[in-house]
């Protein structure tokens, strides 16, 4: 995809391979209907791709050679044999160009320039996943199956924590809170993906020991806490608050302690995967970050 950073050649090659391996076809009223072969960027930093999740429907738009809309947000689902629109669509004469978004949502719109737009995306009400394709080249009835290469449109974050206090101090992590981020925005998948944030900055708890695994000792070497989260691409300048318990040889566990990082100089981009390593010290949580290529 030209508009989502990442291993594009791998995505396209995998989609074409999936299409060539898909042997099933479907007919409706004596006419062969359009089928799809989607692939999805994995959540592994290698840039590998994976089969598209069979429980995730997606929306497809198709445009004729004359620029007419032939499919308008048609819902595509896996039917046990392949990926087909829930309302079968027969191949027309001539060729079609396709663009798609996942998961399926009725409020995604095809613009006049054949990009996709989403007027309101609220991460607090979403599962975090949003994937789009570029507009394909032309496909016709002889192709039978259309390969679709989906790339991630949001950013991904995960966190690792290390104990940087003196060697006589034990630490247990209670919470990681990302403070001062936007959770709402609008999206446009033009030549470069564009996000426009909306609403007020808010706080997002990314790890809570009461929910995510109980009291875990923080070791000297960084270890992962919580799951990888999705975030709207933005320049938010957040900080991270770490809430923890500690114990020395002379004390019982002291709970509810907190330290905060300096401002993250973050510019989260679509399709990128960011890892933050947080090291607990006496006055501030030191942080370092790593940035991968897109999934």
């Amino acid at each position: 995809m030209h508009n989502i950073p990442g291993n594009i050649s791998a995505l396209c090659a995998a989609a074409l391979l999936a299409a060539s391996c898909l042997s099933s076809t479907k007919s409706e009223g004596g006419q062969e209907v359009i089928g799809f072969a989607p692939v999805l960027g994995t959540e592994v930093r290698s840039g590998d791709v994976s089969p598209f999740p069979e429980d995730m429907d997606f929306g497809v738009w198709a445009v004729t050679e004359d620029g007419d809309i032939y499919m308008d947000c048609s819902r595509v689902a896996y039917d046990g044999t392949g990926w087909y629109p829930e309302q079968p669509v027969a191949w027309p004469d001539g060729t079609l160009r396709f663009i798609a978004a996942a998961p399926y949502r009725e409020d995604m719109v095809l613009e006049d320039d054949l990009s996709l737009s989403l007027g309101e995306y609220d991460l607090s009400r979403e599962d975090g996943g949003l994937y789009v394709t570029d507009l394909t080249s032309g496909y016709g009835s002889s192709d039978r199956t259309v390969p679709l290469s989906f790339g991630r449109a949001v950013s991904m974050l995960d966190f690792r924590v290390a104990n940087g206090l003196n060697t006589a101090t034990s630490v247990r992590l209670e919470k990681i809170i990302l403070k001062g981020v936007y959770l709402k925005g609008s999206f446009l998948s033009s030549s470069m993906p564009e996000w426009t944030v909306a609403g007020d900055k808010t706080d997002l708890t990314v790890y809570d020991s009461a929910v995510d695994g109980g009291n875990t000792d923080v070791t000297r070497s960084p270890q992962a806490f919580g799951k990888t989260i999705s975030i709207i691409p933005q320049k938010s300048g957040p900080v991270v608050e770490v809430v923890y318990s500690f114990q020395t040889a002379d004390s019982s566990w002291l709970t509810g302690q907190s330290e905060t990082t300096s401002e993250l100089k973050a510019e989260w981009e679509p399709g990128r995967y960011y890892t933050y390593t947080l090291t607990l010290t006496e006055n501030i949580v030191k942080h370092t970050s790593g940035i991968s290529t897109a999934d």
Side-chain angles (χ1 to χ4, degrees):
M1 299 170 59
H2 68 267
N3 63 355
I4 298 289
N7 193 332
I8 308 311
S9 59
L11 279 169
C12 294
L16 289 168
L17 179 61
S20 66
C21 294
L22 188 64
S23 59
S24 64
T25 58
K26 184 179 289 188
S27 297
E28 182 79 11
Q31 291 184 295
E32 191 170 303
V33 301
I34 300 172
F36 297 92
V39 293
L40 189 68
T42 68
E43 296 191 4
V44 178
R45 296 169 179 76
S46 65
D48 293 338
V49 296
S50 66
F52 199 86
E54 293 180 359
D55 60 351
M56 184 189 293
D57 299 353
F58 56 88
V60 172
W61 293 256
V63 182
T64 68
E65 297 165 340
D66 296 328
D68 297 325
I69 304 300
Y70 189 76
M71 296 174 65
D72 188 6
C73 199
S74 295
R75 188 168 193 149
V76 175
Y78 186 72
D79 69 356
T81 62
W83 292 90
Y84 297 99
E86 290 186 334
Q87 300 298 321
V89 180
W91 281 102
D93 296 332
T95 61
L96 298 172
R97 301 178 73 191
F98 298 85
I99 192 169
Y104 175 83
R105 49 191 308 153
E106 295 179 345
D107 54 347
M108 189 74 79
V109 175
L110 183 66
E111 300 292 343
D112 291 341
D113 65 356
L114 304 185
S115 62
L116 295 175
S117 69
L118 186 58
E120 181 179 346
Y121 187 84
D122 186 345
L123 198 64
S124 66
R125 300 200 304 262
E126 305 285 345
D127 63 6
L130 182 63
Y131 302 86
V132 295
T133 73
D134 275 342
L135 189 68
T136 70
S137 56
Y139 290 89
S141 58
S142 62
D143 297 299
R144 297 188 175 183
T145 303
V146 179
L148 293 175
S149 302
F150 284 85
R152 193 186 299 276
V154 294
S155 305
M156 305 295 288
L157 310 178
D158 67 13
F159 295 86
R160 283 143 173 73
V161 183
N163 179 0
L165 297 169
N166 63 70
T167 56
T169 303
S170 299
V171 172
R172 288 176 179 169
L173 187 65
E174 296 179 19
K175 290 184 179 181
I176 302 173
I177 304 169
L178 190 57
K179 308 190 78 170
V181 291
Y182 292 102
L183 300 183
K184 297 179 181 180
S186 57
F187 173 72
L188 179 65
S189 72
S190 55
S191 58
M192 290 293 291
E194 300 175 15
W195 282 92
T196 302
V197 294
D200 298 324
K201 289 183 178 181
T202 188
D203 298 343
L204 180 65
T205 299
V206 297
Y207 174 80
D208 185 341
S209 63
V211 177
D212 299 319
N215 294 323
T216 302
D217 289 345
V218 179
T219 61
R220 299 285 159 180
S221 298
Q223 62 186 119
F225 283 89
K227 63 182 180 180
T228 300
I229 65 166
S230 301
I231 197 77
I232 291 174
Q234 60 191 271
K235 302 176 185 178
S236 65
V239 298
V240 180
E241 180 182 6
V242 178
V243 183
Y244 62 97
S245 308
F246 75 89
Q247 181 186 53
T248 67
D250 301 322
S251 73
S252 58
W253 283 99
L254 300 176
T255 62
Q257 309 301 306
S258 67
E259 302 290 350
T260 304
T261 67
S262 57
E263 183 177 294
L264 305 185
K265 302 298 183 182
E267 181 177 344
W268 297 323
E269 298 179 359
R272 296 272 182 179
Y273 195 126
Y274 301 82
T275 295
Y276 287 93
T277 299
L278 311 173
T279 304
L280 282 165
T281 64
E282 291 192 15
N283 298 310
I284 194 171
V285 180
K286 297 178 180 178
H287 71 275
T288 57
S289 62
I291 304 172
S292 83
T293 56
D295 301 325

